[in-house]
Amino acid sequence: MAKLNYLIKRFLNMDHKEMFRRINRIHKKTGKSRLAIFNDMRECAVRYGAGYSDYDLFEMYNLNDEQRNTYITRGRNDDLVKKYNDKQYMQYLDNKVEFNQRYGDFLKREWIKVDGVNKEDVISFIERHDVFMAKPINGQCGKGIEKIKVNDYESSQALYEYLINKDFLLEELIIQHDEVNKVYPGSINTVRVVTILKDGNPNIICAYFRIGNGKFVDNFNSGGMMSPVDIETGIVKHAAIDKMKNLYVTHPQTGYPIKGFKFPDWQQALEMCKKASHIMPEVGYVGWDVGFSNKGPLLVEANEYPGHDIYQLPEHTPDKKGVWPLFNI
């Protein structure tokens, strides 16, 4: 009954215009009738927890039932969050100040919150850093982040007055590892490492390289691209893909190879994520965004609600098998 109520609520609240737009697109692509596509979408929602976006993104219309059952969907992802993450603690990953305080040992960079109490400390931070990152304290998906150049402002006071109205947290610029920088120097290119803490044991589930493309953020939903990384070797397994489903064997800005790229200090990065998993065991299902510097791996941020949309795109699953079995630990 609970599942049925959830599905009814989802259907009532969904963007029906967008759903039918996708049905029309699939109809044109496959020649299947719109009614048949709608009924199949409904079946996938009931059986696998897949919304219309999952159905379209993972091209479930090209999969049989056995293949569909290997995909992690929005519904299944929601179930993982409910199972492993305590709502009372999830806010501490979402809030960047709380996160930096709790996971400070893994940051390897200076940071400070901007508020009216610590003005002198903020001014001092500004005067020590020619360039730094300003992040909305509760921002997500890379939205609202600014790369601040101090010389663009009249004075430290003028810059402070700009920042104080933005509810920002300031962070020292991460100097990216020389090897990762070769791929794309315009952003900090991170690896999303997904872990599940079960019975006190941190399990590495999967990992994905997230790469900037023309912007200073690497987020997939903000113009970036991504590709799966082999957990054992730290080697990028496929060509990267962006949200428009363009494929990139090499980076379009630098020409540097993406497929086959091997991360430095890979085992160190995985061990860091395992250690971080124990800091707040009340949130056991986490997507860690790992940066690579010449000082070693570091945490950029963590996600208490890891997105599932990048895990199993058709271009990365030629065998038509998703990653859901990896989560059944």
Side-chain angles (χ1 to χ4, degrees):
M1 181 61 71
K3 183 176 181 181
L4 179 60
N5 288 337
Y6 169 78
L7 290 171
I8 291 172
K9 185 178 179 181
R10 286 277 299 123
F11 180 78
L12 293 175
N13 292 325
M14 72 172 54
D15 184 342
H16 295 92
K17 185 177 180 180
E18 175 62 15
M19 180 183 70
F20 287 112
R21 187 185 72 81
R22 294 193 186 220
I23 288 174
N24 282 329
R25 187 169 67 190
I26 295 169
H27 161 70
K28 290 177 182 177
K29 187 175 181 179
T30 65
K32 296 178 181 179
S33 75
R34 293 176 179 86
L35 180 59
I37 294 167
F38 174 77
N39 286 334
D40 197 35
M41 272 187 179
R42 184 180 59 184
E43 183 69 15
C44 285
V46 172
R47 296 184 66 176
Y48 313 112
Y52 65 77
S53 180
D54 289 340
Y55 185 88
D56 180 27
L57 189 65
F58 305 143
E59 298 181 1
M60 298 185 88
Y61 47 85
N62 286 331
L63 306 177
N64 60 38
D65 289 342
E66 183 179 354
Q67 292 165 339
R68 288 170 171 179
N69 200 33
T70 66
Y71 279 69
I72 180 171
T73 61
R74 177 171 177 172
R76 287 172 167 178
N77 195 52
D78 287 349
D79 289 342
L80 288 173
V81 172
K82 290 173 185 175
K83 180 178 180 179
Y84 291 106
N85 295 351
D86 187 326
K87 280 186 178 180
Q88 294 182 358
Y89 290 84
M90 287 168 66
Q91 61 179 314
Y92 300 131
L93 290 187
D94 195 37
N95 183 289
K96 289 181 173 57
V97 172
E98 294 281 359
F99 174 78
N100 282 12
Q101 289 173 340
R102 291 168 185 265
Y103 297 89
D105 289 345
F106 307 107
L107 299 181
K108 298 182 181 176
R109 61 191 180 279
E110 185 184 0
W111 66 277
I112 191 169
K113 178 185 177 184
V114 181
D115 59 35
V117 178
N118 63 349
K119 178 179 178 179
E120 290 183 2
D121 293 334
V122 174
I123 295 287
S124 178
F125 178 95
I126 290 170
E127 292 176 346
R128 286 195 305 277
H129 302 283
D130 295 333
V131 183
F132 57 84
M133 303 305 293
K135 301 180 178 181
I137 289 173
N138 290 295
Q140 294 180 327
C141 298
K143 294 177 181 177
I145 294 177
E146 297 184 26
K147 189 174 185 179
I148 302 291
K149 296 180 181 179
V150 175
N151 286 341
D152 288 344
Y153 295 81
E154 244 177 55
S155 64
S156 298
Q157 175 64 32
L159 177 50
Y160 172 81
E161 289 175 1
Y162 170 75
L163 296 168
I164 193 66
N165 295 315
K166 293 280 189 173
D167 195 29
F168 271 145
L169 173 146
L170 312 182
E171 288 188 350
E172 177 185 359
L173 204 64
I174 296 170
I175 305 302
Q176 188 160 243
H177 193 287
D178 294 340
E179 290 302 307
V180 183
N181 220 39
K182 290 176 183 177
V183 179
Y184 178 63
S187 72
I188 300 302
N189 309 301
T190 62
V191 173
R192 169 71 56 85
V193 178
V194 180
T195 62
I196 291 179
L197 184 70
K198 185 175 182 180
D199 300 326
N201 181 42
N203 300 271
I204 305 289
I205 305 300
C206 49
Y208 298 86
F209 189 20
R210 302 168 357 127
I211 317 158
N213 185 12
K215 296 183 179 180
F216 60 80
V217 294
D218 64 351
N219 193 282
F220 186 68
N221 292 307
S222 298
M225 58 184 82
M226 55 73 56
S227 182
V229 181
D230 184 271
I231 292 175
E232 299 300 323
T233 63
I235 294 175
V236 179
K237 296 192 287 186
H238 297 282
I241 190 171
D242 62 21
K243 201 166 185 180
M244 303 303 293
K245 293 196 173 184
N246 297 307
L247 284 171
Y248 304 92
V249 175
T250 61
H251 198 287
Q253 306 280 330
T254 64
Y256 200 81
I258 296 173
K259 182 179 178 181
F261 178 80
K262 182 177 175 62
F263 282 93
D265 306 318
W266 180 248
Q267 292 304 319
Q268 247 184 288
L270 297 185
E271 286 304 312
M272 177 184 67
C273 292
K274 288 180 179 180
K275 289 178 182 177
S277 296
H278 288 291
I279 298 294
M280 195 163 57
E282 294 84 358
V283 183
Y285 174 39
V286 180
W288 308 97
D289 290 344
V290 177
F292 293 81
S293 75
N294 290 327
K295 299 177 184 178
L298 52 86
L299 289 183
V300 176
E301 62 181 32
N303 301 269
E304 79 289 351
Y305 190 98
H308 69 287
D309 54 348
I310 66 172
Y311 297 167
Q312 56 217 338
L313 297 172
E315 291 76 9
H316 294 154
T317 53
D319 57 359
K320 296 187 176 181
K321 292 181 181 178
V323 297
W324 179 235
L326 301 176
F327 290 81
N328 295 316
I329 57 174

